[in-house]
Amino acid sequence: MKRILSLFIAIAVFVVLNFTATAEALTVEDKIDYLISQGFPEDFLENEEASAIDDIYNTFYGKDFQFLGTETVDMSESYSLFGASPLDTIPESAMRLKISSVQTIEYENGKGVIQEVVLYVQYEWFGGKPTICKKDGISVNWESGLFAFKQDSFRSIDYKKFLYYNYGYKTSDWIESDSQVDPTELNQGGLGYIAYLNRGNPPENPKELVGAKGWARMSLLPRYKIYNKDSKTTVINAEYVHNKSPFTAVGFSWNGAGVTVNLSSRAKDSVAKAVNIKYST
C-alpha cells in the first residue's frame, strides 16, 4: 500500500512539474497565436508589449468569450492654452484613443449568459507629442443599474520611448514606466485613472521623449442575469483629457453615478469614444 501511495505521489508531482515547464515555455508569439485562434483580431494585439499580452492571455485562457470590437478616435494637440493654432497651420493627429470590449459567456440550456464584460482602453502619442508631459486623466463610465465594477479587476501600464545618445542618436525600445492596480477614483457607474507622461526610466543621455502609450484593463459584472442577444443596447464610454497647462493639475470628481475628469476647458485637449454592448433579459 505504501509503495502504491508513493508511486501515485511521484506521478502527481511529475504531471505538475511537466505542466509548469510547458506553461513557462510559451512564448509571446505562442500566446498571440492562441488569442487570435480564439477570436482576438490581430490588429488589436500587434502593437502590445509582452506585459499586456501576458495579461490578456491569462485573463481569457480556457474561457468562452467574444471579442465585441474596438472603437478608435484621434486627437490633435492644440498649440496654446486658448486652443488656437498658428495661422495657416492645420492641427495634425497627435494621439489615438481606443476602447475595446470582450465578454465572457457561460451557456445554460443553450442560452449564452454574459458573465462579465472586460474593457481595454489604449492610448498612444506619436510624432514627438505631447509638448506638455504631465499627468493626464482618463475616465470610463457605464450604466450603473446594469453593471458593477469587478473588485481587483483594474490594471494599467504606461510606456515611454526615448531618443538617446550612444555613439550616435538612437531610439529606445518601449520602456515600462508606470503601473497601477487601482483606479484613482471609483464610483457606482464609472472610474478615473492617471496616464503618466511625466515619469519613467529613460536610458542614459536621453535627448527627448519620442513616444508615450499605455493601456488599461477593467471588468464589469452584470447586476442581474443578462443574455448574449441583441434586443437591448447599453453604452460604455471612455474620455482622455490631456493637461496642456504647466500650471494646473488633473483631478477627478463624481458626476451622478459616474466619474469625470476635472480640468478647465482652456487647459485641456480632450477626446472621447464609446462602445455599445448588446444584450437581452
Side-chain angles (χ1 to χ4, degrees), residues 191-251:
L191 61 80
Y193 65 98
I194 296 295
Y196 289 98
L197 304 181
N198 60 334
R199 302 198 306 199
N201 299 299
E204 292 184 6
N205 304 314
K207 183 176 184 293
E208 60 189 27
L209 179 73
V210 295
K213 70 177 182 178
W215 67 273
R217 175 257 297 153
M218 64 214 72
S219 293
L220 304 179
L221 301 176
R223 293 187 179 273
Y224 50 87
K225 186 174 288 188
I226 59 175
Y227 297 92
N228 180 30
K229 298 291 184 179
D230 58 0
S231 60
K232 298 182 179 181
T233 301
T234 187
V235 177
I236 301 172
N237 66 76
E239 182 182 28
Y240 186 107
V241 176
H242 170 55
N243 183 6
K244 63 180 182 178
S245 169
F247 312 112
T248 60
V250 162

Side-chain angles (χ1 to χ4, degrees), residues 52-114:
I53 297 298
D54 287 344
D55 186 273
I56 298 168
Y57 178 85
N58 293 333
T59 298
F60 293 103
Y61 178 79
K63 295 181 180 180
D64 287 326
F65 65 84
Q66 290 181 340
F67 186 91
L68 300 178
T70 299
E71 296 294 332
T72 304
V73 62
D74 288 353
M75 183 181 77
S76 300
E77 182 185 31
S78 56
Y79 290 85
S80 76
L81 296 182
F82 301 99
S85 300
L87 294 176
D88 300 324
T89 299
I90 300 175
E92 296 180 352
S93 176
M95 193 277 292
R96 180 161 295 146
L97 177 70
K98 297 181 179 180
I99 178 171
S100 304
S101 56
V102 190
Q103 62 186 14
T104 61
I105 300 170
E106 289 186 4
Y107 291 90
E108 296 180 2
N109 301 320
K111 295 182 179 180
V113 180
I114 299 174

